[in-house]
Amino acid sequence: MARLIIATGTIGLLSVGIAWLVLLLFNSLLIFGESTIQTAFVFGFYTYCIVVLLLPSEHKLFYVLSMPVLTQFLHLLQKYDFPAGANSLWRLLPFLLTDLYMVSVLIRLKTEFTSVQKSLVASWIAFNFLFIIISPNLAGIITGAFTLYLVTIPLYFLYISMLSRHPAFPVNLERSLCLTFVLLALGTFGLVYFGAQYKSASNLLVTRNISDTNVTMAYFILLWPFAIRYAMRTVYSWLAAPLLVVLFTMVVVLSFSRGAVFIVLPYLLASTWSVSNWRLIVWFMMLGLLISAGFDRLIRLINPDLAYAWQLRFADFTTVGPALQRIQEVSGRAEIRQLAYELFLESPLNGHGIGSFELLGPGYREAHSMFFTILAEQGLIGILYLYGLFAALGCSLFNTAASGRSQRILPMALGVYLLFVHSVGYVFVIIPGKSLTINCIAPILLVCIYYYSKSIGNQPIATAHG
């Protein structure tokens, strides 16, 4: 892990430095950013992408898998005057660069894939092509939809499948996604801290980190099994595992997400139990009690304005009742889902197409539920296809979990992810017609979980050493 951090940090700093020097020499490039610092980071990230993908490295898996996560931060730094939404090549560029790299690897290595893998990729492309071209929002999403659905996700599936055949794949994947988890957490803290100073309703950083708390929290759910399992395998597990638990706990607390508090915290406790011993659980419970007892003082110590954001999100939870029911009542999700159901009734077989809910619904990108969003956009065909994939993934994970208690965290992660995206917010592929964030992190992480479970089911994992 230390070599990976040093290598990544060095390349990152050099990339930003090169971008800064270019900006000093060519002032006209400053039109591409809101400020010199912001422009330097944006061009530095593009330079970083090119360098890490072109140069040979033992850490290539991390560079490829972390690219969509790092792009989450880039979206907030890019100039707002530039086109937002899925048609912005400015925002899609990191994905396009990664796609070119994966294509070159697959062509160069000439890997053979099974008939099942080929059929899955072909069906995915065919079904999603149909759902894209029938969308009334096609003009607003066509570039991003074709890029992520038809190119990026299939390429990640084939690329990860190819790498999973290597004996060191499980440990390399754990290491890569553990560092990705840490970077995402640290970035979340930064955005929450700096965003707390804004109290205007027009600035979403008050109650959202990395554009959308619900989106980010779903990523943490899927990244967590890799992070904690890697920590438990290191020689410093006595320190690494508790630190990760603290990190995840603080992410949940500072996310200002009601769904995170009521869904993710129990998941954190149960998953930690599945991969550790009773001592760590007792430590975790004591930490939780301390944080709960001193939460208000802690928030005010970090940043007094954070207390405002927390109150803004939880002040309406004054009555006693089921937590998830309260989430639906105070957020208006029930009405949004009713609109999605009415759209489904208009076209029950194939729905209205990907990205249609943003145009035909109340203006939101999704219906705050995977089921209702897919129902409205892809109809019964999409429901049967997507949930069939989830059922197959679940069966594979449960088969792996039968081999030991520590493996139970994999189906647990899938179950909590599905609970989250059905009750709090739909997080799968983000193809907005207007907003900034464009991403497909969730499908990539689900593919990682699938091939990881297959790998650890077939071979023991060597102990990691930092």
Side-chain angles (χ1 to χ4, degrees):
M1 178 67 84
R3 293 197 303 271
L4 173 58
I5 294 174
I6 293 172
T8 303
T10 301
I11 296 175
L13 290 175
L14 287 176
S15 299
V16 173
I18 292 172
W20 194 290
L21 179 61
V22 171
L23 290 174
L24 291 178
L25 296 176
F26 303 96
N27 291 333
S28 59
L29 293 176
L30 291 175
I31 63 172
F32 289 97
E34 300 290 344
S35 66
T36 302
I37 296 177
Q38 192 169 324
T39 308
F41 273 102
V42 172
F43 277 105
F45 182 74
Y46 290 146
T47 305
Y48 167 86
C49 294
I50 294 172
V51 171
V52 298
L53 293 175
L54 284 181
L55 295 181
S57 172
E58 60 178 315
H59 309 303
K60 195 71 74 173
L61 179 60
F62 167 76
Y63 297 140
V64 173
L65 292 179
S66 64
M67 202 70 72
V69 174
L70 295 176
T71 302
Q72 289 279 103
F73 297 98
L74 180 72
H75 287 154
L76 293 181
L77 292 173
Q78 288 170 319
K79 190 171 183 178
Y80 292 167
D81 290 344
F82 280 14
N87 286 341
S88 174
L89 292 176
W90 179 247
R91 306 183 196 284
L92 285 169
L93 184 56
F95 294 100
L96 296 173
L97 293 172
T98 308
D99 291 344
L100 288 174
Y101 167 75
M102 289 189 290
V103 168
S104 69
V105 172
L106 292 172
I107 292 176
R108 187 171 68 252
L109 298 183
K110 299 179 180 179
T111 306
E112 289 293 328
F113 299 100
T114 67
S115 58
V116 173
Q117 292 171 326
K118 294 177 181 178
S119 298
L120 182 58
V121 169
S123 64
W124 174 271
I125 293 175
F127 278 115
N128 284 288
F129 178 80
L130 166 66
F131 297 134
I132 291 172
I133 62 173
I134 66 173
S135 175
N137 198 20
L138 181 62
I141 65 166
I142 184 170
T143 307
F146 271 88
T147 298
L148 298 191
Y149 273 105
L150 307 186
V151 180
T152 302
I153 294 176
L155 283 176
Y156 266 103
F157 178 83
L158 297 175
Y159 178 76
I160 296 171
S161 170
M162 178 190 69
L163 295 184
S164 68
R165 303 174 187 182
H166 194 281
F169 172 76
V171 171
N172 290 336
L173 186 64
E174 287 178 355
R175 181 188 300 111
S176 299
L177 294 184
C178 181
L179 181 55
T180 301
F181 177 93
V182 173
L183 291 175
L184 188 63
L186 296 179
T188 298
F189 295 153
L191 289 175
V192 169
Y193 180 85
F194 289 109
Q197 61 184 301
Y198 298 100
K199 296 185 179 181
S200 168
S202 62
N203 194 306
L204 294 181
L205 284 179
V206 175
T207 58
R208 294 289 188 266
N209 51 54
I210 313 183
S211 296
D212 194 318
T213 301
N214 297 339
V215 168
T216 307
M217 196 54 58
Y219 300 153
F220 280 115
I221 292 171
L222 296 175
L223 284 167
W224 178 244
F226 302 101
I228 189 63
R229 285 175 66 90
Y230 179 77
M232 292 301 297
R233 296 184 194 284
T234 65
V235 294
Y236 304 107
S237 60
W238 58 273
L239 177 62
L243 286 178
L244 281 180
V245 169
V246 172
L247 200 62
F248 200 3
T249 303
M250 293 306 298
V251 164
V252 174
V253 170
L254 294 178
S255 69
F256 310 112
S257 169
R258 295 170 287 230
V261 170
F262 295 116
I263 296 176
V264 181
L265 282 181
Y267 163 64
L268 176 56
L269 179 61
S271 59
T272 304
W273 167 259
S274 71
V275 298
S276 62
N277 51 47
W278 65 269
R279 293 183 181 87
L280 186 58
I281 296 300
V282 171
W283 185 94
F284 172 77
M285 294 178 68
M286 292 177 61
L287 173 67
L289 291 174
L290 288 174
I291 291 178
S292 300
F295 175 74
D296 185 69
R297 292 184 179 180
L298 177 63
I299 290 294
R300 295 183 185 279
L301 179 64
I302 298 174
N303 188 334
D305 291 328
L306 289 177
Y308 163 80
W310 180 267
Q311 182 181 9
L312 184 67
R313 294 291 283 168
F314 287 87
D316 45 15
F317 274 73
T318 56
T319 63
V320 178
L324 292 181
Q325 180 180 343
R326 294 294 304 148
I327 291 174
Q328 315 309 317
E329 291 174 356
V330 302
S331 62
R333 286 183 171 89
E335 291 78 7
I336 297 173
R337 291 166 187 173
Q338 179 61 35
L339 289 173
Y341 182 70
E342 292 173 1
L343 288 173
F344 160 71
L345 294 179
E346 296 176 7
S347 182
L349 185 60
N350 53 260
H352 297 274
I354 290 173
S356 60
F357 189 77
E358 182 179 22
L359 186 65
L360 303 178
Y364 297 103
R365 190 183 66 237
E366 41 92 9
H368 293 289
S369 166
M370 173 177 284
F371 177 79
F372 283 98
T373 304
I374 297 299
L375 202 64
E377 294 191 343
Q378 302 178 23
L380 294 176
I381 294 177
I383 287 288
L384 292 175
Y385 181 74
L386 184 60
Y387 283 82
L389 293 180
F390 279 121
L393 174 58
C395 289
S396 175
L397 298 184
F398 276 109
N399 289 335
T400 302
S403 62
R405 193 187 77 171
S406 65
Q407 321 297 359
R408 296 174 189 171
I409 192 174
L410 299 177
M412 191 185 304
L414 176 62
V416 174
Y417 167 76
L418 291 176
L419 175 61
F420 196 92
V421 298
H422 283 83
S423 59
V424 180
Y426 171 49
V427 184
F428 199 59
V429 181
I430 303 175
I431 304 288
K434 300 176 181 178
S435 61
L436 301 177
T437 305
I438 305 165
N439 231 305
C440 58
I441 298 174
I444 295 172
L445 295 179
L446 290 169
V447 170
C448 288
I449 288 178
Y450 171 69
Y451 281 112
Y452 177 75
S453 69
K454 289 175 65 70
S455 297
I456 64 176
N458 297 329
Q459 61 185 21
I461 300 181
T463 301
H465 294 283

